Amino acid sequence: MLRNHKKIPEPTIERLPLYSRPLEELLKAEVPVVSSDTLAKLCGVNPAQVRKDLAYFGEFGVRGVGYEVASLLKEIKKILGTDRKWRLCLVGFGNLGSALFENHNFRRRGYTFVAVFDSDPAKIGRILENGIVVEHPKKIKEAVPRLHIQIGVIATPPFKAQRVAEMLFSAGVRAVLNFAPIQIRKPECCVVENVDFTISLENLAYHLAKLH
Amino acid sequence: MLRNHKKIPEPTIERLPLYSRPLEELLKAEVPVVSSDTLAKLCGVNPAQVRKDLAYFGEFGVRGVGYEVASLLKEIKKILGTDRKWRLCLVGFGNLGSALFENHNFRRRGYTFVAVFDSDPAKIGRILENGIVVEHPKKIKEAVPRLHIQIGVIATPPFKAQRVAEMLFSAGVRAVLNFAPIQIRKPECCVVENVDFTISLENLAYHLAKLH
DNA sequence: CCTTCTATGTGCAAAAATTCACAATAGCTG
DNA sequence: CAGCTATTGTGAATTTTTGCACATAGAAGG
Ligand SMILES: NC(=O)c1ccc[n+]([C@@H]2O[C@H](COP(=O)([O-])OP(=O)(O)OC[C@H]3O[C@@H](n4cnc5c(N)ncnc54)[C@H](O)[C@@H]3O)[C@@H](O)[C@H]2O)c1
Ligand SMILES: NC(=O)c1ccc[n+]([C@@H]2O[C@H](COP(=O)([O-])OP(=O)(O)OC[C@H]3O[C@@H](n4cnc5c(N)ncnc54)[C@H](O)[C@@H]3O)[C@@H](O)[C@H]2O)c1
């Protein structure tokens, strides 16, 4: 048994969400069982990789048959914590922030915005979906414990992002999704994920330039 | 000399944009020279990594001194093709699409939207910044060569994304930035980068769940 | 109940990426 | 201009990740 001995590689964690997407499709299409080969093709990875990744967490497959779609999906969600609900707050209700807030993919996957903060007086007080009211960021300190906010999403201008992050951390938030194109300094105990589209664009540009 | 012999590792390419961000800050602050140690700390990576990554492309540093900020930044931009201008089109002018279009970071980095496509009749004909008019996606075929579009950005609903991608590829686009949460099938010769925030969120949830 | 068939789980080897550690070398100082 | 210092560039060691290859186990059919 692999699962009890070794720690789980980061790339494995990053591939699990990749597997869960085609699995959701298969579930919808009422396909009962999937092989590592098929799943691998759907995700564009190696079949052995799929089996090994899954084996870190348990024996989910049946030899000679494959993986039962519904139960595998459930297991992956359990591993990722996606079977739980997570409560988020949004800081920065601008173009990007409002697109994030209005996107129902997040809620469908268990990520619910329960508070929105913005420093613009023109936006403070505005009433959004689910009765959420835009508040000044100075309310973060008080709102995080009261609303049990677990994840902070930063969509402010870059030069405000570090300060906002610090407010979130000191209010008790341990995980931050940061859309501002800067490197956030964080306490040891906290996790930060950066999303930066321009990095993806620069990657594309590099590969394009090579194909001349 | 490393640079002529080995092919460049993908992770190296992915780190270059990371280096360029603090370098821009340093340039603005008129810091003339930076050591691999300092740059590494700013980016949260190992200093030897910085040196090795850069050495793949040339000898940019001065022993005993460090790297000249301005010229290093210029070199990185040259490598990434960010010194060139790139012409993009946007397909899907919804919440996310319009946030992308209105974000001036892209243009500042040399990525300019020169066309916007959306299938919604209520949006077609709308006039945006720089005189760009929202057009029906059936115009892609004709617009790509005429406007020399090099990169397509997909921000349509997921179930439309594959079809849109095919229209882009067959019109001659070789690089696609895809925001829809599906795996795009692509011809050998083309490059696709996927941006999926929910993967980042699932990562955060996993790490949070571990810290319980 | 035994045989056959199929796809998993995993030991092991290969490949890739990271990090160490140090010789090489540029600049500075006296 | 010799010696000293700082920091690069890189070969070698280490760690991590991937992929092969096959023994293993469940299912199905005779
Ligand atoms: N829009 C995009 O497509 C896009 C793409 C990549 C990155 N980003 C980044 O995301 C961030 C937001 O982008 P945007 O386009 O939504 O910008 P925006 O200007 O539309 O919105 C920023 C919002 O943050 C608010 N704000 C400013 N200071 C604040 C503070 N201290 N506390 C709380 N709120 C504050 C502003 O009032 C505004 O509503 C930026 O850092 C941007 O670089 C955006
Ligand atoms: N909004 C977000 O924060 C967010 C986050 C993650 C992922 N996404 C993904 O990005 C995509 C767009 O999200 P959104 O929130 O902007 O959705 P949206 O519904 O606001 O916008 C989608 C737009 O695409 C247009 N469209 C539909 N079919 C089209 C076609 N065949 N050709 C051209 N245009 C077409 C629609 O008219 C609409 O304007 C979705 O796939 C979504 O899952 C969005």
Side-chain angles (χ1 to χ4, degrees):
Chain A
M1 269 208 278
L2 227 48
R3 61 213 68 104
N4 302 316
H5 305 306
K6 296 195 152 239
K7 75 159 208 332
I8 287 121
E10 195 59 27
T12 293
I13 304 302
E14 278 163 26
R15 275 187 300 267
L16 292 183
L18 201 68
Y19 301 154
S20 72
R21 257 177 259 315
L23 282 173
E24 278 167 10
E25 298 296 318
L26 292 170
L27 189 69
K28 234 185 289 176
E30 299 188 50
V31 177
V33 167
V34 69
S35 71
S36 60
D37 249 355
T38 308
L39 187 54
K41 255 183 214 116
L42 289 170
C43 303
V45 303
N46 181 294
Q49 184 110 78
V50 172
R51 295 199 295 278
K52 183 156 281 193
D53 283 345
L54 296 175
Y56 279 113
F57 302 98
E59 296 205 4
F60 302 142
V62 179
R63 290 173 192 221
V65 178
Y67 300 88
E68 208 221 313
V69 171
S71 76
L72 180 57
L73 186 58
K74 202 179 282 178
E75 289 292 348
I76 291 182
K77 287 190 170 181
K78 197 158 84 192
I79 295 162
L80 288 172
T82 318
D83 58 335
R84 296 169 50 177
K85 295 273 172 224
W86 295 95
R87 299 168 68 83
L88 324 190
C89 72
L90 173 66
V91 191
F93 191 72
N95 284 318
L96 181 62
S98 58
L100 294 172
F101 183 81
E102 276 155 37
N103 187 247
H104 290 236
N105 254 341
F106 290 111
R107 175 174 300 250
R108 210 160 43 67
R109 294 187 174 281
Y111 302 95
T112 312
F113 287 106
V114 297
V116 173
F117 304 97
D118 198 299
S119 59
D120 183 350
K123 288 178 182 160
I124 292 170
R126 197 185 294 180
I127 299 167
L128 313 174
E129 274 179 38
N130 298 98
I132 291 170
V133 179
V134 179
E135 294 189 276
H136 193 278
K138 72 186 171 201
K139 300 280 182 69
I140 290 175
K141 188 98 212 175
E142 173 268 321
V144 166
R146 178 167 53 80
L147 298 171
H148 302 103
I149 292 166
Q150 295 150 311
I151 301 176
V153 177
I154 301 182
T156 64
F159 55 96
K160 298 288 177 62
Q162 180 64 40
R163 198 148 153 48
V164 164
E166 280 158 18
M167 293 169 82
L168 289 167
F169 293 140
S170 82
V173 170
R174 315 270 294 271
V176 161
L177 184 64
N178 171 43
F179 285 88
I182 65 149
Q183 190 75 10
I184 300 266
R185 288 182 302 282
K186 64 163 186 73
E188 192 57 51
C189 62
C190 300
V191 208
V192 173
E193 281 278 324
N194 295 296
V195 179
D196 191 339
F197 320 155
T198 54
I199 290 184
S200 309
L201 270 179
E202 284 173 10
N203 236 304
L204 281 181
Y206 172 79
H207 288 292
L208 263 187
K210 264 202 325 196
L211 312 166
H212 45 236
Chain B
M1 268 207 278
L2 229 46
R3 61 215 66 105
N4 301 318
H5 304 306
K6 295 195 154 239
K7 77 162 208 328
I8 287 123
E10 196 59 26
T12 293
I13 305 302
E14 278 163 25
R15 275 189 299 268
L16 291 182
L18 200 70
Y19 301 154
S20 72
R21 259 179 256 316
L23 282 173
E24 277 167 11
E25 298 297 317
L26 293 169
L27 190 69
K28 236 187 287 177
E30 300 189 49
V31 177
V33 167
V34 68
S35 71
S36 59
D37 249 351
T38 308
L39 186 54
K41 257 184 213 114
L42 290 170
C43 303
V45 303
N46 181 295
Q49 184 110 81
V50 173
R51 296 199 295 278
K52 183 154 280 195
D53 282 345
L54 297 175
Y56 279 113
F57 302 98
E59 297 205 5
F60 303 140
V62 179
R63 289 170 194 224
V65 178
Y67 300 87
E68 208 220 314
V69 172
S71 75
L72 180 57
L73 186 58
K74 202 179 284 177
E75 289 290 350
I76 291 181
K77 287 190 169 179
K78 198 159 82 193
I79 295 163
L80 287 172
T82 318
D83 59 335
R84 295 168 51 177
K85 296 274 174 224
W86 295 95
R87 300 167 68 83
L88 323 190
C89 72
L90 174 66
V91 190
F93 192 72
N95 285 317
L96 181 63
S98 58
L100 294 171
F101 183 81
E102 275 155 36
N103 187 248
H104 290 234
N105 254 340
F106 290 111
R107 175 175 299 251
R108 211 159 42 69
R109 293 187 175 282
Y111 302 96
T112 312
F113 287 107
V114 297
V116 174
F117 304 98
D118 198 297
S119 58
D120 182 350
K123 289 178 180 160
I124 293 170
R126 198 185 291 179
I127 298 167
L128 313 174
E129 276 179 36
N130 297 98
I132 291 171
V133 179
V134 178
E135 294 189 275
H136 193 279
K138 71 185 172 202
K139 300 279 183 68
I140 289 174
K141 188 98 212 175
E142 172 269 321
V144 166
R146 180 169 50 82
L147 298 170
H148 303 103
I149 293 166
Q150 295 151 312
I151 301 177
V153 177
I154 299 182
T156 64
F159 55 96
K160 298 288 178 63
Q162 179 65 40
R163 201 153 146 47
V164 164
E166 281 158 18
M167 292 168 82
L168 289 168
F169 293 140
S170 82
V173 170
R174 314 272 293 270
V176 161
L177 185 62
N178 170 43
F179 285 88
I182 64 150
Q183 191 73 12
I184 301 265
R185 290 182 301 282
K186 63 163 187 73
E188 192 56 53
C189 62
C190 300
V191 208
V192 173
E193 281 278 322
N194 295 296
V195 179
D196 190 340
F197 318 156
T198 55
I199 290 183
S200 308
L201 270 179
E202 285 174 8
N203 236 306
L204 281 181
Y206 172 79
H207 287 293
L208 262 189
K210 264 203 327 198
L211 311 166
H212 46 234

